[in-house]
Amino acid sequence: MRTTPAPRAIALAATATVLLSLAACSDDGGGTGRGTPSAASTASPTTTPGDLSSQKLDWKRCPAPSNAQGSGTAPSPLPGGTPWECSFMNVPLDYGDPDGRTIELALVRARATDKDRRIGSLVFNFGGPGASGVATLPAFGTAYDTLRGRYDLVSFDPRGVGRSEGVECADDAALDARYEMDGTPDNAKEEKAFVDDLKSYISDCEENSGEELPYVGTTNAARDMDLLRSVLGDDKLHYFGISYGTELGGVYAHLFPKKVGRAVLDAVVDPTEDAEQSALGQAKGFQLALDNFTADCAEREDCKLPGSRAQEVQDWIADLLEKLEKKPVPGLGERELTQTQATTGIASALYSKETWPLLEQGLDEADGKNGGLLLALADSLNGRTQNGHYDNSGAANTAINCADSKQRFTLEQTKAALPLFRKASPVFGDYLGWGLMSCTGWPVSGAWDTPDVSAPGAAPVLVIGNTGDPATPYAGAKAMADELGEGVGVELTYKGEGHGAYNGGSTCVQKAVDGYLLDGKVPASGTVCA
């Protein structure tokens, strides 16, 4: 999911399983910068030093993820004993100065099981922007085991993410305070606190990572992927992009249309929308998901939330959030559940239908003055681990979004837009509307209003839209297919819930994707799966 506002889809495939493990927790306006160059280099996308294209990768057993990647334990071997291997690849910091400073990108792979029928490498990007592919792919590699038959499964931490020169902003204590503060100010005092916090956060980012900030945008990440393709020894890039990874894939196809192999884009970002349109679309998308959740709850006799109709359940949720604004409730340890954290927790649980039961439980417990579960859900989306450390997904998300998007919103422009956001979603409208200011005062000017993903001459790209997707609304799939161009974008619809389709439980979707990636069978554009 690409966002300028607060909620971020980090590692789409991870959401449901990680959050299910948290249930036990419930028991306890500025300009375009100060003259810093834009993130978009004017150099040719193929400008890469020859010694980098021919570099040899030193693959070794993977260590445990770093704090910036989300911490945890070293990945276990896959079924059959295949180990996860990690390495680093050198790339130019600035493709406009290809002989200048280089940085290292962290990589991970698992080798194909059928070496005689191996097609090549299948490169994954799990979204965000800001998700660590090195941490995410091993955590959910078994979900792609069928594809591992003929592909080496490969992912990476994009520049600015995790171990790839990860952007650093605020420390853990400052982030705790930042996420607890009111993200939907209602008066002049709260507005000042909101703006002051934003300025402080951006200042920390510039102080800690200022040299890298101009170069973390999507265009450079796409160039990195083409260098990765070359270093891996593949003539074509075979690619699986999820959420923001679909935008990255579209930009790659535009820059390198003749290098596109078999590519799948799942949970598609609308490339025709600017930052404000995207945020408004998300407000509508999350509202749709909340509508579906509350309708399901109202229809069940065992639902813990009061209300015999969906609107009654939503009114009750709105009342609960108003109570939390006036008086937070105990959360986890010394931390309380605030209105903003509760809204984040609700959004987090709407990414997958599998986590609807946790949302129901968390709301019920918060009403009983136990905010632990909703706070744990919010922590998951905010990148906070149980040891109190934050990964760098939030910092990377801001840095990449602001390197890409030209739009900068003043306080007055943001407040003027709020009525439209509230109309789109009574629950999430203010929350997402205030997020328009995320890049205000950022020290790097953005590269575009919207990305160019036109890719005439590219191989077919399978584009999958989910009708119930809250984070990347369904309309984005058609827009991406259209923008890729006739004969390139192939649209497939999944009538389901949650963010993404391939791991949504539809045999139809999996067969279509596997058939294309493994056998080159392109489904008919317009195919619909339930």
Side-chain angles (χ1 to χ4, degrees), residues 165-180:
E165 292 290 331
V167 173
E168 297 180 21
C169 293
D171 61 23
D172 292 333
L175 287 173
D176 272 347
R178 184 165 205 256
Y179 288 125
E180 286 169 5

Side-chain angles (χ1 to χ4, degrees), residues 33-102:
R34 293 181 286 278
T36 310
S38 166
S41 170
T42 57
S44 163
T46 58
T47 303
T48 304
D51 59 338
L52 292 184
S53 297
S54 59
Q55 66 185 288
K56 302 299 181 183
L57 300 177
D58 183 18
W59 294 101
K60 297 179 179 179
R61 291 292 181 98
C62 293
S66 66
N67 282 336
Q69 293 172 313
S71 70
T73 59
S76 301
L78 285 157
T82 301
W84 289 100
E85 300 173 308
C86 287
S87 188
F88 288 92
M89 180 181 76
N90 292 313
V91 302
L93 173 65
D94 178 5
Y95 278 88
D97 181 18
D99 295 312
R101 176 187 164 190
T102 62

